[in-house]
Structure formats: C-alpha cells, structure tokens
C-alpha cells in the first residue's frame, strides 16, 4: 500500500518453457517488494521456492508474497506433485492449499482465507500448463503454436469471498 506518497510496488515474473526437443527451462526475476526489511531475499532467488525445474517432469514458479511460498517450497512441491501424476492445475491448487495450511493466523481472515496475494505457475514436460491463485481473477500469459494470449488461473475461492484489505 502507498506510504508517504510512494506507491507499494512489486515486480516478479516467472517464465517456464519447453522447447521442441522437450527440454524444460524456467526463470524467475524480481524487484522484490516495496518497504522490505533490508536484506530480505524473498522467494524468487530461492531454488525450490520461487522457481524449480526438473527436466524429467516440468517446471514451476511463483509471484506474490514470498514469505508464504518459502514456507512450503512451492515450486518444488508443484513439480513433485506433477511427478506423482497430478496435472499442473491440480498440482498448483494443492500447493495453494498447503500454503494456507502453513500460514500464520494473522494473515488469514476469520474463515481461514489468506489476506495476501500469491500466484503459482506450472508447465509439464508434455506441454500442459496452468496458473493458480487463492482468489478468482488471476491471469497468466501463454505462448504456443496458437500464439500469445492471456488465460485464467485456477483458484480456491470466488472473487466475492476475498477479504477486504486493511
Ligand atoms: N515474490 C516476490 C517476493 O516475495 C514479490 C513479487 O512477486 O513481486 O520478493
């Protein structure tokens, strides 16, 4: 949120790709977040949290509240769920559920829903992909043989269930 006239900003991008040979790669870049504690690292540069790739399975990454992701190693967990046979969408929803289970109560509303934003993205080696957020309304960019476009992320809660921000 804006403070002293300076807007609250953040700026992470996770990109996952599979090439024609079936090789998977992934990258997460970030500016971090405004008002962070000096020395804060966030999840983006932590392999297994903000990004993870296994060329036999796929790749995953995140944007949003890094502290909540680090606690579950979200990108690693998404790839592990895909390794166990889950499709990317189901894998990401399970990661989001795990995040909420591990979230400290002060960051949840009285119904146990998160008061923060966190998004996950995943790509399987066979080209299936997905995004997921806690609340309806997330979108992510895709580019394949059908061209570039935005697609809707999966979600746990309807937009109307989102708690108001403090
Ligand atoms: N994930 C980043 C962090 O926690 C913030 C962002 O997504 O912009 O540092």
């Amino acid at each position: 949120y804006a403070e002293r006239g300076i807007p609250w900003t953040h700026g992470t991008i996770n990109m996952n790709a599979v090439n024609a040979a079936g090789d998977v790669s992934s990258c997460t870049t970030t500016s971090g977040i405004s008002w962070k504690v000096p020395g804060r690292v966030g999840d983006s540069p932590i392999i297994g949290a903000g990004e993870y790739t296994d060329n036999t399975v796929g790749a995953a990454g995140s944007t949003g509240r890094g502290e909540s992701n680090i606690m579950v190693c979200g990108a690693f967990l998404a790839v592990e769920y895909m390794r166990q046979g889950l499709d990317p969408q189901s894998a990401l929803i399970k990661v989001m559920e795990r995040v909420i289970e591990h979230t400290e109560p002060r960051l949840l509303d009285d119904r146990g829903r998160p008061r923060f934003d966190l998004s996950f993205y995943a790509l399987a080696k066979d080209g299936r992909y997905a995004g997921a957020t806690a609340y309806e309304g997330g979108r992510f960019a895709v580019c394949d043989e059908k061209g570039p476009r935005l697609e809707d992320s999966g979600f746990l809660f309807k937009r109307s269930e989102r708690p108001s921000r403090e």
Side-chain angles (χ1 to χ4, degrees):
Y1 310 101
E3 248 182 71
R4 294 174 211 165
I6 301 171
W8 189 87
T9 61
H10 60 110
T12 301
I13 296 174
N14 163 239
M15 182 179 288
N16 305 304
V18 57
N19 69 11
D23 286 322
V24 181
S25 57
S26 176
C27 179
T28 298
T29 68
T30 191
S31 62
I33 56 173
S34 297
W35 310 109
K36 62 190 173 190
V37 173
R40 176 189 184 272
V41 171
D43 59 335
S44 306
I46 299 178
I47 301 299
E51 186 281 327
Y52 191 74
T53 305
D54 182 326
N55 198 27
T56 66
V57 178
S62 68
T63 61
R65 188 174 189 276
E67 286 80 354
S68 300
N69 180 26
I70 289 168
M71 290 171 73
V72 304
C73 298
F76 177 80
L77 188 59
V79 171
E80 286 309 297
Y81 283 143
M82 292 195 291
R83 187 195 310 281
Q84 291 168 14
L86 291 188
D87 61 86
Q89 183 73 92
S90 305
L92 295 184
I93 292 293
K94 275 179 77 91
V95 172
M96 191 61 73
E97 289 171 343
R98 181 76 69 89
V99 166
I100 292 168
E101 280 166 29
H102 283 256
T103 294
E104 58 268 44
R106 72 182 175 88
L107 295 173
L108 301 175
D109 73 1
D110 53 8
R111 293 174 302 176
R113 293 175 184 164
R115 294 185 185 279
F116 54 87
D117 288 317
L118 181 61
S119 301
F120 289 103
Y121 315 91
L123 172 69
K125 191 172 176 69
D126 63 9
R128 290 172 299 154
Y129 57 83
T133 56
Y135 297 98
E136 181 182 12
R139 305 186 86 189
F140 62 102
V142 180
C143 188
D144 58 17
E145 70 280 3
K146 290 181 245 159
R149 61 195 179 275
L150 290 175
E151 294 200 11
D152 293 335
S153 295
F155 58 89
L156 283 174
F157 307 116
K158 300 288 283 181
R159 198 188 309 255
S160 57
E161 296 175 282
R162 186 183 190 110
S164 58
R165 293 193 180 241
E166 290 164 350

